[in-house]
Amino acid sequence: MRLALDEADRAGRAGDVPVGAVVLSPDGTTVLATGHNEREATGDPTAHAEILALRRAAAALGEWRLVGCTLVVTLEPCTMCAGALVQSRVDRVVYGARDEKAGAAGSLWDVVRDRRLNHRPEVVEGVLADESARLLTDFFRTR
């Protein structure tokens, strides 16, 4: 999560909402890819930290299925990112701050654990939640 927080800080310094993500290999120790929000930088509405990290991890593995992998992200994934997590077959998502307005991993919706879907990753929430939330609060306080 510390690496994801570093990524989030990079996004904030670049003028994007400070969210950072890391994809870990199945061994849980090797970083396959990182990402941070780049919507403002690229003008791409899909350039969320999670999407970018998943794309980069798939490229690193040469495989779209990220079976056994863990995505660590500073903010609870939105519906788009939750859908991508399901589609990419990650085994686990670990997130920091809850997103009561748009979260789709247990707060507002629970897309990742919907029993109607073919894949449901494990969800671990609240890891370094205060630090993750503080980055967001500080960012929006200056807006």
Side-chain angles (χ1 to χ4, degrees):
M1 184 60 81
R2 296 265 180 227
L3 184 53
L5 284 164
D6 289 344
E7 285 292 318
D9 185 58
R10 288 180 62 199
R13 284 186 277 116
D16 266 289
V17 176
V19 177
V22 175
V23 177
L24 301 173
S25 67
D27 69 15
T29 60
T30 304
V31 174
L32 293 176
T34 63
H36 58 270
N37 276 1
E38 295 182 19
R39 291 185 306 172
E40 298 297 331
T42 63
D44 178 356
T46 69
H48 287 204
E50 300 96 311
I51 300 294
L52 297 174
L54 290 171
R55 286 178 184 159
R56 293 169 183 155
L61 289 176
E63 168 71 52
W64 66 266
R65 290 177 191 88
L66 301 179
V67 175
C69 295
T70 299
L71 178 112
V72 180
V73 62
T74 58
L75 180 65
E76 179 181 1
C78 69
T79 54
M80 175 182 68
C81 294
L85 289 165
V86 171
Q87 292 299 315
S88 68
R89 311 297 197 269
V90 297
D91 278 15
R92 181 177 309 99
V93 57
V94 177
Y95 71 85
R98 288 175 62 92
D99 186 348
E100 300 294 340
K101 294 181 180 179
S107 289
L108 187 58
W109 295 287
D110 202 352
V111 172
V112 295
R113 290 180 284 206
D114 189 319
R115 294 195 176 278
R116 296 169 292 182
L117 298 175
N118 64 331
H119 180 74
R120 291 178 299 281
E122 173 189 1
V123 177
V124 178
E125 66 177 87
V127 177
L128 298 179
D130 291 340
E131 291 178 46
S132 297
R134 189 171 20 263
L135 277 175
L136 291 160
T137 300
D138 292 348
F139 178 81
F140 285 113
R141 186 175 289 134
T142 62
R143 299 281 157 187

